[in-house]
Amino acid sequence: TTRYEQPVPAIETLRHTRETDGTWRASSYFAKLHATPAPSEIARQTESWLHLIDDGRYPESWAAASSHFKKAASESQWATALKSVRAPLGKVRERHLTSSQQLEKLPGAPDGPHTILQFSTHFENKPHATETVTFTRDSDGLWRASGYLIK
């Protein structure tokens, strides 16, 4: 994974081929740019919301989520789920935004816009996980978390 001077993450693939004389030489190169990074305001809001979860402040993270999110799970369901799934992972050692994508429509969600952000996260008790957070413009016009998935 490469980060360029401009904040556009990419995955570079450089293929080497063994020549008949036994030496390895570069034979092809490919760079795939990820989706446009999230606007810094949404990225900052997302990281602030994730810090509530990191600190075990689950009721606060639920309260700060979108109305659509709150309809999907009660505060106690949210807290119970995070206690069983997120808490055992321990403290966050490192978290990096790896991609973001802006969409107008998501299945089962109110009309957008939506921003889906993915983070590569290293936890105290798990060396690597992918966190996916969806932020949606809520009915009052503010951007709020409307989805969270950790793998």
Side-chain angles (χ1 to χ4, degrees), residues 3-151:
R3 294 199 186 270
Y4 295 96
E5 185 173 314
Q6 297 297 319
V8 180
I11 295 178
E12 295 179 300
T13 304
L14 177 61
R15 179 173 292 164
H16 289 83
T17 305
R18 188 185 297 222
E19 300 289 330
T20 55
D21 65 1
T23 59
W24 289 91
R25 291 197 172 82
S27 59
S28 68
Y29 172 80
F30 177 76
K32 179 182 176 187
L33 299 178
H34 287 282
T36 305
S40 59
E41 176 190 343
I42 294 173
R44 279 192 304 272
Q45 287 179 326
T46 303
E47 289 180 0
S48 293
W49 188 74
L50 286 170
H51 287 303
L52 294 173
I53 295 170
D54 296 341
D55 294 341
R57 295 164 37 199
Y58 308 141
E60 289 178 57
S61 67
W62 183 86
S66 73
S67 54
H68 176 72
F69 183 96
K70 292 175 186 175
K71 289 176 188 172
S74 70
E75 181 180 333
S76 63
Q77 289 171 321
W78 173 244
T80 300
L82 288 178
K83 285 177 188 172
S84 66
V85 174
R86 175 57 184 85
L89 301 177
K91 294 184 185 282
V92 172
R93 296 286 186 215
E94 198 173 356
R95 177 182 281 135
H96 298 285
L97 178 65
T98 56
S99 71
S100 70
Q101 182 178 16
Q102 295 181 347
L103 301 169
E104 284 302 313
K105 295 188 182 227
L106 280 175
D111 285 344
H114 309 277
T115 300
I116 301 170
L117 302 102
Q118 282 197 324
F119 295 86
S120 175
T121 308
H122 300 266
F123 294 97
E124 179 177 57
N125 299 323
K126 184 166 178 64
H128 179 263
T130 299
E131 292 179 291
T132 304
V133 182
T134 303
F135 256 63
T136 302
R137 186 168 298 161
D138 213 353
S139 57
D140 62 3
L142 298 177
W143 285 88
R144 291 192 175 90
S146 61
Y148 177 73
L149 174 68
I150 185 165
K151 288 186 179 182

